[in-house]
């Protein structure tokens, strides 16, 4: 009997479609390659961030010659980034996630031979310049293009490029934040209308995201990206405050999306060279950075400082306003870079600001305002990208605050429902429509 069972199992395995095995093997290849490229990307950015910080030692009123190096450093980063994008691969401008959604629908080409090197190099220059952009957009687009590369190299059937591109996108997000679960959820939630669901395509997502995260942990390091306090949440009497925070974040999400599109329109209408754009942005970023390093850059160090420093509510408000404006200007300039990290940073700042005010009026309900900082990450993601599950998964994985899932759910679902009722469309849907319009080939 046992021999018959073994023979039956072997026959079932042999009779399975070989294409499914090949898909899963290729997904592993996509994850490993994406993880390696993301690790290299992150390590280079860490080195350059250290170099850039040395240029900003001083104060806003320092000598004129001391301004020269930071302005030059920032200018070269922005100018060269825009140059590479406009010259060689216009589809690498911005985050690139909308390009992937278009590619999954067969509406946008995937030119991986140009996109991978241009996105990699141009993003390094744009992110090290001090612009308020994140690494997740570049890694997602690079990962998706690695998926297309795998299809071409291994002669994967054309109908199976969708799960490979999707697996690459999941791998890119997973490797950017050490968040494999968020990478999987992101493709399922944000790209649900573009991703072809079946058992093996879902397995490919999991293999890609998991292997990419494993490579990053081996080469860069493991553990949560953000080092914060691990909170508990047992008292439900203050749960309504998280609902109120979600309402506030829904309004902020609408403002962010509208201003982001307005920024893209503004830069498109400007009749000036990208050299002039780079020079103006370099001066703004340098001046703001000399005043406070927390007001520029992607926001990882800013988040740590907000959590660990006793900033006044007045400074948190100023920090939020400045970073809000600079985030939309940075993306509108046309350089490659993601909006996840700047958004998450804004969510943390606003959450801490909200928590500080709530603690003043309801001290018994708010033991630590930082709890609202974590909730703000999930809420602002839900209100702008309309992906509450991804925002929830990212917030938990990035901070290891698994016991805050309940209040994060209340914040995220409130933010996403309210922003939807107010007519705020998902930002990537808006951006995809822009590039599909006649004459729109960038951003």
């Amino acid at each position: 009997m046992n021999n018959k069972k073994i023979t039956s199992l072997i026959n079932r395995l042999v009779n399975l479609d070989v294409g499914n095995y090949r898909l899963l093997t290729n997904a592993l290849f996509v994850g490993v390659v994406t993880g390696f490229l993301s690790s290299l990307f992150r390590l280079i950015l860490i080195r350059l961030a250290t170099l850039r910080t040395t240029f900003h030692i001083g104060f806003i009123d320092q000598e004129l010659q001391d301004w020269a190096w930071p302005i030059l450093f920032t200018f070269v980063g922005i100018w060269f980034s825009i140059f590479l994008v406009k010259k060689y691969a216009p589809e690498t401008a911005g985050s690139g996630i909308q390009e992937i959604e278009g590619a999954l629908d067969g509406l946008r080409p995937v030119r991986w031979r140009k996109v991978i090197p241009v996105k990699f190099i141009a993003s390094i220059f744009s992110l090290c310049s001090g612009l308020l952009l994140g690494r997740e957009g570049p890694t997602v687009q690079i990962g998706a293009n690695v998926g297309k590369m795998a299809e071409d190299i291994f002669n994967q059937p054309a109908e199976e490029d969708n799960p490979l591109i999707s697996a690459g996108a999941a791998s890119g997000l997973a490797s950017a934040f050490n968040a494999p679960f968020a990478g999987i959820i992101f493709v399922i939630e944000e790209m649900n209308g573009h991703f072809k669901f079946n058992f093996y395509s879902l397995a490919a997502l999991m293999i890609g995201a998991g292997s990419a995260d494993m490579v990053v942990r081996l080469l860069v390091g493991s553990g949560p990206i953000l080092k914060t306090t691990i909170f508990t949440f047992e008292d439900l009497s203050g749960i309504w405050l998280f609902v109120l925070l979600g309402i506030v974040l829904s309004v902020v999400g609408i403002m962010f999306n509208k201003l982001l599109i307005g920024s893209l329109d503004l830069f498109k209408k400007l009749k000036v060279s990208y050299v002039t754009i780079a020079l103006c942005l370099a001066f703004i970023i340098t001046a703001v950075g000399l005043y406070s390093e927390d007001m520029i850059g992607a926001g990882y160090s800013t988040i740590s400082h907000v959590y660990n420093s006793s900033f006044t509510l007045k400074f948190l408000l100023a920090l939020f306003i400045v970073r809000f404006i600079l985030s939309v200007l940075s993306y509108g300039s046309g350089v490659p870079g993601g909006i996840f990290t700047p958004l998450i940073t804004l969510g943390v700042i606003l959450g801490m600001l909200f928590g500080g005010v709530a603690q003043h009026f309801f001290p018994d309900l708010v033991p630590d305002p930082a709890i609202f900082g974590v909730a703000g990450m999930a809420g602002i993601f839900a209100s702008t990208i309309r992906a509450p599950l991804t925002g929830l998964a990212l917030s938990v994985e990035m901070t290891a605050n698994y016991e805050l899932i309940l209040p994060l759910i209340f914040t995220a679902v409130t933010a996403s429902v309210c922003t939807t009722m107010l007519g705020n469309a998902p930002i990537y849907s808006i951006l995809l429509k822009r590039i599909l319009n006649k004459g729109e080939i960038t951003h």
Side-chain angles (χ1 to χ4, degrees), residues 34-105:
T34 302
F36 174 77
L37 291 176
S38 296
S39 298
L40 182 61
F41 189 71
R42 286 173 59 173
L43 291 172
I44 293 174
L45 286 176
I46 290 172
R47 294 286 187 181
L48 291 176
T50 303
L51 176 62
R52 189 179 188 283
T53 303
T54 62
F55 289 143
H56 280 272
I57 297 174
F59 302 95
I60 193 70
D61 59 349
Q62 62 187 36
E63 297 296 329
L64 180 61
Q65 63 269 21
D66 295 328
W67 281 65
W69 284 115
I71 289 180
L72 179 63
F73 188 89
T74 304
F75 166 76
V76 170
I78 299 172
W79 168 79
F80 190 63
S81 179
I82 298 177
F83 168 76
L84 287 178
V85 168
K86 291 184 176 293
K87 180 73 173 178
Y88 299 104
E91 64 266 44
T92 59
S95 71
I97 293 176
Q98 65 277 8
E99 289 282 349
I100 303 309
E101 293 184 354
L104 292 175
D105 289 337

Side-chain angles (χ1 to χ4, degrees), residues 119-340:
K119 190 76 173 187
F120 189 95
I121 298 172
S123 297
I124 286 175
F125 276 87
S126 63
L127 268 60
C128 76
S129 69
L131 290 176
L132 284 72
L133 298 167
R135 63 185 179 226
E136 70 292 329
T139 57
V140 168
Q141 189 173 19
I142 289 172
N145 278 264
V146 170
K148 180 63 175 177
M149 180 183 73
E151 180 211 349
D152 293 344
I153 292 176
F154 300 115
N155 296 317
Q156 190 84 4
E159 64 271 13
E160 294 183 354
D161 67 349
N162 183 289
L164 282 182
I165 292 175
S166 301
S171 302
L173 185 57
S175 56
F177 292 133
N178 287 20
F181 185 61
I184 297 168
I185 293 297
F186 176 69
V187 171
I188 294 174
E189 184 178 34
E190 169 61 23
M191 301 182 179
N192 64 83
H194 317 277
F195 175 55
K196 296 180 180 178
F197 282 92
N198 60 53
F199 174 79
Y200 287 101
S201 63
L202 185 58
L205 276 185
M206 299 176 70
I207 291 173
S211 56
D213 183 57
M214 180 186 67
V215 172
V216 171
R217 289 172 186 270
L218 289 172
L219 298 180
V220 181
S222 59
I225 293 294
L226 301 177
K227 307 297 182 182
T228 65
T229 303
I230 305 301
F231 297 102
T232 58
F233 188 81
E234 300 175 355
D235 186 3
L236 298 179
S237 59
I239 196 71
W240 62 273
L241 287 171
F242 292 92
V243 175
L244 182 58
L245 175 61
I247 295 173
V248 173
L249 288 169
S250 68
V251 176
V252 173
I254 293 175
M255 294 172 56
F256 185 88
N257 286 3
K258 290 186 179 298
L259 288 176
L260 188 72
I261 300 303
S263 178
L264 291 171
D265 292 337
L266 173 63
F267 279 97
K268 184 182 177 182
K269 293 177 182 178
L270 289 176
K271 303 300 182 181
V272 295
S273 67
Y274 56 81
V275 175
T276 303
I277 292 175
L279 187 61
C280 292
L281 286 176
F283 179 81
I284 295 172
I285 293 295
T286 301
V288 174
L290 287 172
Y291 176 76
S292 172
E293 280 285 326
D294 289 317
M295 292 183 174
I296 63 172
Y300 299 105
S301 60
T302 301
I303 292 174
S304 298
H305 293 159
V306 169
Y307 276 131
N308 300 323
S309 302
S310 55
F311 289 145
T312 64
L313 294 181
K314 182 179 180 180
F315 181 79
L316 284 175
L317 179 60
L319 185 63
F320 176 81
I321 293 173
V322 172
R323 288 195 63 93
F324 189 101
I325 295 172
L326 292 183
S327 293
V328 296
L329 287 178
S330 296
Y331 192 89
S333 66
V335 300
I339 59 174
F340 283 16

Side-chain angles (χ1 to χ4, degrees), residues 250 253-254 382-384 386 414-425:
S250 68
I254 293 175
S383 65
T384 53
R386 289 260 300 274
T414 302
S416 59
V417 169
C418 288
T419 196
T420 302
M421 293 176 64
L422 292 173
N424 189 29

